[in-house]
Amino acid sequence: MNGRTDIDIEKFRKLLLEERAELLADDRAHEHDRDPVGPDSSLGPQSRMDAMQQAEMARAMHERHGVRLRQIDAALQRIEEGEYGYCVQTGEPIEIERLRADPATALSVEAARQNETRRRPT
C-alpha cells in the first residue's frame, strides 16, 4: 500500500494529534482525582463513599483514555507507514465517512460488522 490519494492525510493527522493532546490534557487535569481515598476522619461516611466513587470513575476514565490513545497512536503509525485509511483486516480502503466519524478507526464497516457477528453469543 502506498497511501491513499483520495483523502487528505494531513487533515486526519491533525485531527488525531488534536484529540491526542486533548486526552492527555484531560488526563493530567484529573490526575489527582484518581488518588485513593484514605481513611480521613474529617469525612463522614457518605462523603467518603462519594469520594471513593468519584475516584473510581476517574480511574475508569483514565483507562478509557488509555485505550483511545493507543488507537490514535496506531492510526498515526499507519499514517507514517503509508497504510492509513486501509482496513487492517482486509487491506481494503476504509470508507471516507467512517474515517470522518472516527479518524482512528482501523476497520472497514464490513470488517467491523464481521467482528461484531463473531462476538455475538449463539
Side-chain angles (χ1 to χ4, degrees), residues 89-106:
Q89 263 185 238
T90 67
E92 296 296 317
I94 297 172
E95 302 79 4
I96 188 69
E97 298 81 18
R98 185 164 173 80
L99 289 171
R100 285 185 186 130
D102 179 5
T105 192

Side-chain angles (χ1 to χ4, degrees), residues 51-69:
M52 289 171 64
Q53 183 178 23
Q54 188 172 16
E56 185 57 37
M57 288 173 30
R59 284 189 289 275
M61 182 177 65
H62 175 69
E63 287 180 30
R64 285 191 306 276
H65 283 179
V67 169
R68 185 62 181 170
L69 285 167

Side-chain angles (χ1 to χ4, degrees), residues 14-121:
K14 182 180 178 197
L15 289 170
L16 289 161
L17 290 171
E18 287 172 357
E19 183 179 355
R20 188 177 196 287
E22 289 171 11
L23 288 169
L24 290 172
D26 190 51
D27 229 28
R28 279 190 300 274
H30 293 94
E31 187 174 1
H32 295 294
D33 294 344
R34 297 188 299 269
D35 292 343
V37 177
D40 186 349
S41 60
S42 68
L43 292 175
Q46 187 62 42
S47 295
R48 189 171 187 297
M49 291 298 289
D50 289 345
M52 289 171 64
Q53 183 178 23
Q54 188 172 16
E56 185 57 37
M57 288 173 30
R59 284 189 289 275
M61 182 177 65
H62 175 69
E63 287 180 30
R64 285 191 306 276
H65 283 179
V67 169
R68 185 62 181 170
L69 285 167
R70 286 188 293 279
Q71 291 170 341
I72 290 169
D73 288 343
L76 290 168
Q77 184 66 38
R78 289 191 301 278
I79 287 173
E80 294 305 313
E81 294 170 354
E83 297 177 2
Y84 181 79
Y86 293 97
C87 178
V88 298
Q89 263 185 238
T90 67
E92 296 296 317
I94 297 172
E95 302 79 4
I96 188 69
E97 298 81 18
R98 185 164 173 80
L99 289 171
R100 285 185 186 130
D102 179 5
T105 192
L107 299 173
S108 66
V109 170
E110 185 58 32
R113 191 174 294 131
Q114 287 174 4
N115 287 349
E116 183 63 30
T117 301
R118 282 187 217 124
R119 281 190 223 130
R120 287 193 187 131

